[in-house]
């Protein structure tokens, strides 16, 4: 099981608790090593040492987190280091995990049952539905709901690996670009002050372009392969009409959306300061509603439906452990990035600018995207969010094109490898267990780079200055 995503720090100076404000960009670059280490562990551990990783990922994560916190304490002091860690965990890690827990639990109770024949038209329709659903129940939720019906529909096809590959492109990644619920990087942006509807307003043209192009390419390819197959093998899955069960969970998804939107619009000005960090009422209410919605889903959804979805708790446990470490490890990195030209990453920030000093949107798009494809798109998004200044008001206003480039790179290019986004590896594993001859790590990259890179180039030329 791969990461589900996540990561976020909170070390913009204006948002720091007083005792943590002593942490500034005058830190040695070596304090970024735990952050690099945890990301490389997540990316390579399951591929190079799968048995060890699945048995000990919690311990590995704890070691990286402890190393980051110890290094930060050594250079900034124990008090400021602990205050910064508490600030990040309370204001960003907890809301992030609660959101993932709620959507994962609720979507696990939605089950598509029945069986249809995997014709090019049906497959294209299912991919389109999945791409749309990804922005409402998340890329992980949509992937887990629809991958099994798609596999059942194509279990008699001689060529079906390409169906799963395009499913990863569209449902597990690109379709999640239209709301903070869709993909973890966008929710982290929401927690940093990006308006809930900003992604829909600014990312829909590019998302529509990518989805339309990929559906057209898929339909042409699937039609050609379908025609080449001639006589289709007898279908091992009995025919039955498609139906959605556990529909009460659709209402609970609506509750989750309403609670998140509410927390962005309702600002009562009520809060409580604990250890230098202010916990605001609207955010506490949001977390309480999300947890309640998840518990209601567990109570009212028959266990048989979750079993049919292959629902288990290990993915969310893994997320909680891995990204607790990421939230800690990224704190000194954010401090150094916040220092800008005065910090150790001045050269990296300069590389993202044009000769006149303005940000280069294509540079942000490709840098964010290519790193997202091999690491994890959520922490990568945050790194470049900070490189863009870290100010949500500016990034959604005069620098909106830069945040658009960062968001598109993080969400879209997570599809380039199996480790770029949480659902990718999950879908790959389910398809293999179902008998699909999926391409390996580099075989998949031949597909993704061959299909997606030309579209990304076209996307840049059409939508970025």
């Amino acid at each position: 099981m791969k990461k589900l995503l996540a990561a976020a720090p909170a070390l913009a100076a204006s948002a720091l608790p007083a005792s943590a404000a002593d942490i500034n960009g005058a830190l040695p670059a070596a304090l970024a090593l735990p952050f690099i280490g945890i990301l490389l562990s997540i990316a390579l551990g399951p591929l190079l040492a799968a048995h060890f990783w699945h048995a000990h990922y919690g311990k590995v994560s704890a070691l990286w987190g402890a190393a980051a916190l110890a290094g930060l304490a050594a250079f900034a002091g124990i008090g400021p280091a602990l205050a910064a860690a508490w600030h990040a965990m309370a204001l960003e890690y907890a809301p992030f995990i609660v959101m993932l827990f709620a959507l994962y639990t609720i979507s696990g109770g939605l089950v598509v049952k029945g069986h249809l024949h995997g014709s090019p038209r049906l497959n294209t329709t299912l991919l389109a539905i999945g791409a749309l659903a990804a922005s409402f129940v998340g890329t992980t939720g949509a992937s887990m709901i629809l991958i099994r019906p798609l596999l059942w529909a194509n279990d008699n096809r001689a060529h079906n690996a390409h169906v799963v590959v395009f499913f990863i492109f569209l449902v597990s990644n690109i379709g999640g670009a239209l709301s903070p619920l869709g993909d973890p990087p966008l929710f982290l942006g929401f927690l940093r002050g990006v308006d809930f509807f900003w992604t829909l307003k600014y990312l829909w043209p590019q998302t529509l372009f990518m989805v339309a192009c990929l559906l057209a390419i898929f339909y042409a390819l699937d039609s050609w392969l379908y025609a080449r197959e001639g006589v289709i093998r007898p279908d091992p899955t009995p025919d039955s009409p498609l139906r959605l069960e556990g529909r009460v969970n659709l209402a609970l998804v609506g509750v989750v959306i309403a609670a998140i939107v509410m927390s962005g619009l309702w600002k009562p000005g009520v809060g409580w300061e604990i250890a230098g960090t202010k916990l605001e009422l609207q955010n506490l209410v949001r977390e309480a509603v999300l947890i309640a919605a998840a518990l209601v889903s567990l109570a009212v959804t028959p266990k048989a439906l979750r079993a049919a979805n292959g629902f288990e708790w290990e993915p969310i446990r893994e997320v909680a452990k891995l990204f607790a470490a990421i939230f800690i490890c990224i704190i000194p990195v954010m401090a150094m990035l916040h220092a800008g030209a005065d910090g150790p990453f001045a050269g990296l920030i300069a590389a993202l600018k044009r000769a006149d000093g303005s940000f280069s949107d294509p540079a942000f798009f490709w840098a964010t995207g290519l790193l997202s494809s091999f690491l994890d798109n959520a922490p990568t998004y945050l790194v470049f969010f900070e490189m863009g200044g870290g100010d949500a008001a500016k990034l959604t206003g005069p620098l909106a094109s830069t945040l658009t480039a960062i968001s598109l790179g993080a969400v879209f290019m997570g599809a380039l490898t199996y480790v770029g986004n949480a659902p990718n590896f999950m879908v790959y594993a389910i398809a293999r267990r179902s008998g699909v001859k999926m391409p390996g790590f580099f075989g998949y990259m031949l597909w993704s780079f061959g299909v997606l890179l030309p579209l990304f180039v076209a996307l840049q030329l059409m939508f970025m200055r």
Side-chain angles (χ1 to χ4, degrees), residues 360-430:
S360 169
D361 296 339
F364 270 96
F365 173 66
W366 288 103
T368 305
L370 291 175
L371 282 177
S372 291
S373 67
F374 290 98
L375 298 174
D376 182 79
N377 57 5
T380 303
Y381 170 94
L382 285 173
V383 166
F384 286 94
F385 187 98
E386 197 67 27
M387 283 187 174
D391 186 337
K394 291 182 179 178
L395 284 168
T396 57
L399 296 178
S401 64
T402 299
L403 183 57
T404 297
I406 294 169
S407 302
L408 294 174
V411 176
F412 287 2
M413 293 199 204
L416 285 176
T417 72
Y418 282 137
V419 298
N421 197 15
N424 300 5
F425 206 83
M426 296 166 64
V427 168
Y428 163 78
I430 292 171

Side-chain angles (χ1 to χ4, degrees), residues 295-312:
L295 295 178
V296 169
S297 175
L298 288 172
V300 302
T301 304
K303 292 183 179 179
L305 292 184
R306 294 190 184 277
N309 253 351
F311 182 86
E312 57 179 336

Side-chain angles (χ1 to χ4, degrees), residues 70-305:
L72 191 61
F75 284 92
I78 296 176
L82 292 177
W86 159 245
H87 186 76
M89 301 300 279
L91 293 191
E92 297 193 358
Y93 173 76
F96 185 79
I97 290 299
V98 167
M99 187 274 291
L100 284 179
F101 165 74
L103 284 179
Y104 181 76
T105 303
I106 294 169
S107 64
L110 285 166
V111 181
V112 178
K113 289 190 174 182
H115 177 68
L116 294 173
H117 296 287
S119 66
R121 180 176 297 180
L122 173 73
N123 288 336
T124 304
T125 300
L126 288 177
L127 291 178
I129 292 172
L132 179 63
S135 284
F136 295 94
V137 297
T139 52
T140 297
S143 296
M144 294 303 98
I145 292 169
L146 289 172
I147 184 57
R148 287 179 176 84
L150 189 71
L151 292 173
W152 295 334
N154 292 274
D155 55 8
N156 65 324
R157 293 278 303 272
H159 303 284
N160 51 16
H162 68 287
V163 180
V164 182
V165 168
F166 276 81
F167 183 91
I168 293 175
F169 294 167
L170 285 158
V171 183
S172 301
N173 289 275
I174 293 169
L178 299 182
S179 87
L181 301 174
D183 219 20
L186 303 181
F187 188 72
L188 294 178
F190 174 77
L191 293 178
R192 297 293 293 267
V194 178
D195 182 75
F196 184 89
F197 297 103
W198 185 90
T199 53
L200 177 62
K201 179 180 178 181
Y202 282 89
L203 304 187
W204 75 262
Q206 302 91 330
T207 304
L208 180 62
F209 168 77
M210 289 296 298
V211 170
C213 288
L214 285 170
L215 289 175
I217 294 170
F218 173 79
Y219 183 79
L221 174 63
D222 199 39
S223 297
W224 179 66
L225 292 173
Y226 191 78
R228 285 188 61 198
E229 289 175 1
V231 178
I232 303 296
R233 293 178 296 178
D235 195 336
T237 310
D239 284 352
S240 60
L242 285 183
R243 63 193 185 278
L244 180 66
E245 297 191 4
R247 287 189 291 272
V248 65
N249 288 286
L250 290 176
L252 294 174
V253 170
V255 170
V256 169
I257 294 173
I260 293 174
V261 173
M262 172 277 299
S263 70
L265 299 177
W266 178 49
K267 304 291 184 182
V270 178
W272 298 267
E273 187 169 302
I274 301 175
T277 293
K278 187 176 182 180
L279 305 180
E280 296 183 296
L281 177 61
Q282 67 270 22
N283 296 330
L284 296 175
V285 171
R286 178 189 64 211
E287 267 71 85
V289 171
L290 264 58
I291 292 172
L295 295 178
V296 169
S297 175
L298 288 172
V300 302
T301 304
K303 292 183 179 179
L305 292 184

